[in-house]
Amino acid sequence: MTTPPRWGLISQQRLSEINSPYVKEIRGRGLLIGVELTPEAGGARRFCQMLHEEGILSKETHYNVIRFAPPLIITRHEIDWAIERISRVLQMK
């Protein structure tokens, strides 16, 4: 099974729909996605730790960017599962 190329675009679109005061920009190529946070977010580390508690691995990059690099064999169901948890974490205060 291969991941359709559009799934990266779908993931970025879904992430950009998250209503969070902490998100400044969503960018990426394919499934390699970065979520740049606003200065008010206080850095990406705490969000990465909360995502880990939700079962999602992410990496703090350049202090204020959350980087996602899922396996290339990810399924649509797994993308939906992850977006739901990412949304929940990014909307926390």
Side-chain angles (χ1 to χ4, degrees):
M1 174 198 270
T2 61
T3 301
R6 68 183 186 280
W7 286 8
L9 180 58
I10 289 169
S11 298
Q12 289 180 47
Q13 288 172 338
R14 298 253 332 262
L15 286 170
S16 68
E17 294 170 0
I18 296 172
N19 185 18
S20 171
Y22 303 122
V23 176
K24 179 177 180 181
E25 181 182 15
I26 309 291
R27 59 182 178 264
R29 183 176 297 246
L31 287 169
L32 303 176
I33 299 171
V35 177
E36 183 177 358
L37 303 176
T38 62
E40 295 78 28
R45 180 171 299 256
R46 71 183 183 108
F47 291 96
C48 290
Q49 290 171 340
M50 288 187 284
L51 287 165
H52 184 263
E53 292 169 8
E54 292 283 337
I56 297 175
L57 295 178
S58 59
K59 171 77 171 106
E60 170 194 12
T61 307
H62 302 291
Y63 180 73
N64 65 333
V65 177
I66 304 169
R67 182 173 60 192
F68 298 102
L72 297 179
I73 59 169
I74 194 167
T75 66
R76 177 62 189 258
H77 173 74
E78 292 167 328
I79 290 172
D80 293 341
W81 179 90
I83 297 289
E84 179 182 313
R85 282 148 183 83
I86 293 167
S87 177
R88 185 168 48 233
V89 167
L90 290 174
Q91 292 176 8
M92 290 183 176
K93 296 198 183 226

